[in-house]
Amino acid sequence: MVEIYTAAVDKGLEGVVACTTAVSSIMDVTLCYRGYTVEDLAENSHFEETAFLLWNDKLPTATELESFKSEISESMSLDPQLIEVIKKIPAKDVHPMAWLRTAVSLLAHFDSEAQDNSVEANRRKATRLLARMGTLITAFESLRQGREPLSPVKGKSLAWNFLYMLTGKEPDAEMVKVFDICLVLHADHELNCSAFATRVTASSLSDMHSAIVSAIGALKGPLHGGANEQVMLMLKQIGTVEQARRFVKDALANKEKIMGFGHRVYKHGDPRAAILKKMSEKLTNKIGEGHWYEMSSLIDDTVQNEKGLLPNVDFYSATVYYSMGIPIDLYTPIFAASRISGWVAHAFEQYANNRIYRPRGQWVGRQGLKYTQIEQRRG
Ligand code: COA
């Protein structure tokens, strides 16, 4: 007797509650990490402290924070042998997210605790991974420009070091603050596609590096983290404010998606987009290129009027990064450098209360076929 599974299919798992979580929550238009609103954290916290909060379910004391920051600082550098290996990964004509996926996987080969899945080892590995993401991404940029990667500066934040290693210059304090806020805003987002990928991999009791590599692969796609890069490419393709409305109307008429709009969960707006919108206005004007904000704002109004969709985190972050002079294809890797804090928190939570994810698929294919020998088959 053939069993056919006939439960209702929730395509894309919309509305399916797959696990309990206390990492971050989305309730209507409010996003909280461990109970604190993202607005509160963006204004008062910074990325390292936010990562501590996500991993420990509490804000750190001054001593705890100093100790966590110093562990990160000590872990930012790459093993010289690893640098020699990553130099061999093709960096030209390859997407930085594909390069990053390979490079993060390689980190495991240089981590003596890679196979140790104990709570303590996972915490140490998580700190090393968090600390090295920015070092890897900026190494990629240096390598494709034909330069030697720069070493991180101890005692400086992850945001400071990212901008320093990217440009080779001491970054401006205001830009460090802006970048740090972006890291805080992208740190976690409940059971998004890449957090779920992390948890699915962790649920087989696979190791931390494997879980993070799965997440990077999921984030890369244009329907998830890859959208921020697509937004800037779209703005450049539109070219002028005057063309913006026409572009949107034509795209919608052709049933094309406008990148940076829509969300599976938020139906009344993404709180991160509201913060990034203000940052985009300020920064594009600061560099004398306010037309990028004007264009974005007009697209925002048009998509809302025509389709009732609101911007998500990726829409205004594109022009924020652009104003900072960051290469467009690094926007998604930056998302990964932040979101790794959330992925790790989800992996910790999954390991602590695990059951392997194993849903069913509803069979819609043929049944009862009999094997035919190759010489009897017709094309
Ligand atoms: N532009 C135009 N139409 C969009 C749209 C967009 N960005 N996002 C959703 N829609 C439309 C769909 O075409 C569909 O319309 P229809 O009912 O007329 O066919 C409807 O809204 C539902 O969209 P759907 O893709 O089924 O929603 P989802 O919940 O599966 O997907 C996203 C959510 C975020 C993947 C989707 O909104 C999207 O692709 N956005 C663009 C990519 C993006 O910005 N991703 C980053 C997310 S933070």
Side-chain angles (χ1 to χ4, degrees), residues 54 84 98 111 129 166 199 220 262 266 289 330 345 350 359 361:
L54 287 169
E84 288 314 306
D111 196 315
L129 276 159
L166 188 70
R199 295 186 79 122
K220 180 174 179 286
Y266 296 117
E289 297 192 28
L330 294 189
Q350 186 66 38

Side-chain angles (χ1 to χ4, degrees), residues 177-199:
K177 184 64 198 157
V178 166
F179 193 70
D180 190 73
I181 292 173
C182 291
L183 295 180
V184 170
L185 291 177
H186 288 80
D188 196 44
H189 206 221
E190 205 225 43
L191 216 60
N192 59 85
C193 181
S194 56
F196 190 50
T198 308
R199 295 186 79 122

Side-chain angles (χ1 to χ4, degrees), residues 230-249 251 258-259 261 291-292 295-296 298-300 303 315:
Q230 296 304 320
V231 169
M232 200 62 228
L233 295 176
M234 173 183 75
L235 297 180
K236 294 203 106 181
Q237 187 195 340
I238 296 171
T240 62
V241 178
E242 292 67 36
Q243 302 291 329
R245 207 186 297 272
R246 182 78 272 141
F247 177 92
V248 171
K249 288 190 171 190
I258 312 290
M259 289 294 137
F261 284 87
H291 61 281
W292 296 119
M295 199 192 290
S296 304
L298 192 58
I299 294 171
D300 187 347
V303 178
F315 189 62

